[in-house]
Amino acid sequence: MMGRFFNLFKGFIYMGVYITTTMVIPYYTFTWIKEVQILGVNIVLEQQDYERIIFWIGAFGFLICACAFFNYSSPKQSIRKGTFALIQILLNCMYIWSYKFSGATEVRFEIVFAVAGIGFISVNVQNMVMLYMGIYFLTIVLKGYDLVDFVVNRDKIRENRYKTVKEEEES
């Protein structure tokens, strides 16, 4: 009985962590860099780019947070945990990939001095996104293996879980 409440608590904690890391921090980062002033020169992120980036952060952020809750509130070695862990990793991949297509990997700032625009600065982090995608590919393979293992060894896992519960009740 206590394990259920602990799993729910753990699910809420991890959901909060994912809300912070996938939504709050990126939102405030892009809001902060939307208008930066360096040595009296305004560097401005275009409004359309900013709105597109914030949309994709929110869209995938909510999905990832929901999957994180279900993943971390599920019992260990359960098919539900394996399924949600795999879905969460795939959503994380799409989240990282959305940075590329929303324009967040190549942020273009316009340099504004007084009234006229002087030029632009472009920051490109596409190679870093590709590195993360490689790491996530390996994680997908691992989570896929875990899910197959949980399905194939379902009876053994339940038997071991039942033995553990019985031993705890006897002592």
Side-chain angles (χ1 to χ4, degrees), residues 14-30 53-68 88 91-93 95-96 98-99 136:
Y14 276 97
M15 185 176 70
V17 168
Y18 276 92
I19 285 172
T20 304
T21 58
T22 62
M23 295 175 64
V24 174
I25 292 173
Y27 173 78
Y28 283 118
T29 300
F30 283 105
I53 292 167
I54 295 302
F55 170 78
W56 286 111
I57 286 172
F60 280 115
F62 281 123
L63 290 173
I64 290 169
C65 293
C67 279
Q88 183 182 359
L91 285 172
N92 283 339
C93 286
Y95 176 79
I96 295 293
S98 76
Y99 270 83
Y136 273 117

Side-chain angles (χ1 to χ4, degrees), residues 37-49:
Q37 187 174 30
I38 300 174
L39 299 173
V41 177
N42 291 331
I43 301 175
V44 180
L45 178 64
E46 295 179 12
Q47 183 67 26
Q48 182 181 359
D49 292 341

Side-chain angles (χ1 to χ4, degrees), residues 27-158:
Y27 173 78
Y28 283 118
T29 300
F30 283 105
T31 302
W32 177 71
I33 67 169
K34 183 179 173 188
E35 258 187 65
V36 178
Q37 187 174 30
I38 300 174
L39 299 173
V41 177
N42 291 331
I43 301 175
V44 180
L45 178 64
E46 295 179 12
Q47 183 67 26
Q48 182 181 359
D49 292 341
Y50 172 76
E51 289 173 359
R52 185 176 37 230
I53 292 167
I54 295 302
F55 170 78
W56 286 111
I57 286 172
F60 280 115
F62 281 123
L63 290 173
I64 290 169
C65 293
C67 279
F69 172 77
F70 289 116
N71 176 18
Y72 290 103
S73 66
S74 300
K76 291 180 181 178
Q77 295 182 323
S78 67
I79 295 173
R80 180 177 60 192
K81 183 172 188 70
T83 303
F84 278 110
L86 187 59
I87 292 170
Q88 183 182 359
I89 293 297
L90 292 172
L91 285 172
N92 283 339
C93 286
M94 290 190 291
Y95 176 79
I96 295 293
W97 197 252
S98 76
Y99 270 83
K100 179 177 180 169
F101 290 109
S102 69
T105 58
E106 190 172 341
V107 179
R108 183 181 171 119
F109 295 98
E110 192 176 327
I111 300 174
V112 180
F113 188 70
V115 180
I118 297 175
F120 67 92
I121 296 174
S122 183
V123 179
N124 188 340
V125 291
Q126 289 180 355
N127 289 334
M128 187 174 71
V129 168
M130 296 310 288
L131 175 69
Y132 279 122
M133 293 302 289
I135 293 169
Y136 273 117
F137 173 75
L138 296 174
T139 308
I140 288 170
V141 170
L142 179 66
K143 294 298 181 181
Y145 174 78
D146 283 346
L147 180 59
V148 170
D149 181 42
F150 297 161
V151 171
V152 169
N153 296 318
R154 183 179 192 175
D155 293 331
K156 286 182 186 178
I157 292 169
R158 285 184 176 175

